[in-house]
Amino acid sequence: MSIYLTAILKSKTDKIQELKTILDNMVLNTRNEEACEKYDLHQGLEDETVFIFHEIWKSKEGLDAHNQQLYIKEFVEKAPELLEEPAEIYLAKLV
């Protein structure tokens, strides 16, 4: 069963470019993961501090493995200094 994930991140105003650079690197690395079916990053049109990930994973195990990657762990560690508030994460399944 595929896992659908939407993550909404709100950057601190003075950290937008730094965050975008890190997120772009995550996209490049994540798209090479075996379990990744889709990993798209969007930035708000009217509010450029907002970033949204739309992800599809082949399995929960694949998503769990993704979350153990060094580049994801490094982002999680740095997130408090980059984000205005904790990321909102929504997991879903196709109905």
Side-chain angles (χ1 to χ4, degrees):
M1 171 180 65
S2 292
I3 304 292
Y4 294 76
L5 187 149
T6 300
I8 303 171
L9 303 97
K10 183 155 178 66
S11 175
K12 291 182 178 176
T13 307
D14 61 335
K15 299 290 187 176
I16 294 170
Q17 193 53 53
E18 184 178 353
L19 177 62
K20 184 175 184 315
T21 299
I22 291 169
L23 299 180
D24 286 342
N25 181 61
M26 287 168 45
V27 169
L28 289 175
N29 284 290
T30 299
R31 286 182 175 165
N32 291 321
E33 292 181 42
E34 171 63 28
C36 178
E37 292 184 2
K38 180 178 183 176
Y39 198 82
D40 291 339
L41 175 64
H42 305 268
Q43 186 173 12
L45 277 176
E46 295 178 5
D47 183 354
E48 65 180 13
T49 66
V50 174
F51 293 89
I52 302 169
F53 277 108
H54 293 286
E55 307 173 22
I56 303 174
W57 295 91
K58 292 179 182 174
S59 65
K60 171 122 175 37
E61 295 77 19
L63 177 57
D64 291 344
H66 164 70
N67 288 327
Q68 297 306 310
Q69 299 298 317
L70 183 58
Y71 50 90
I72 298 301
K73 288 183 172 187
E74 288 174 348
F75 166 71
V76 169
E77 186 175 302
K78 197 167 176 81
E81 74 182 62
L82 300 172
L83 301 180
E84 193 66 42
E85 56 200 40
E88 295 178 54
I89 308 291
Y90 301 94
L91 293 172
K93 62 183 177 181
L94 194 59
V95 294

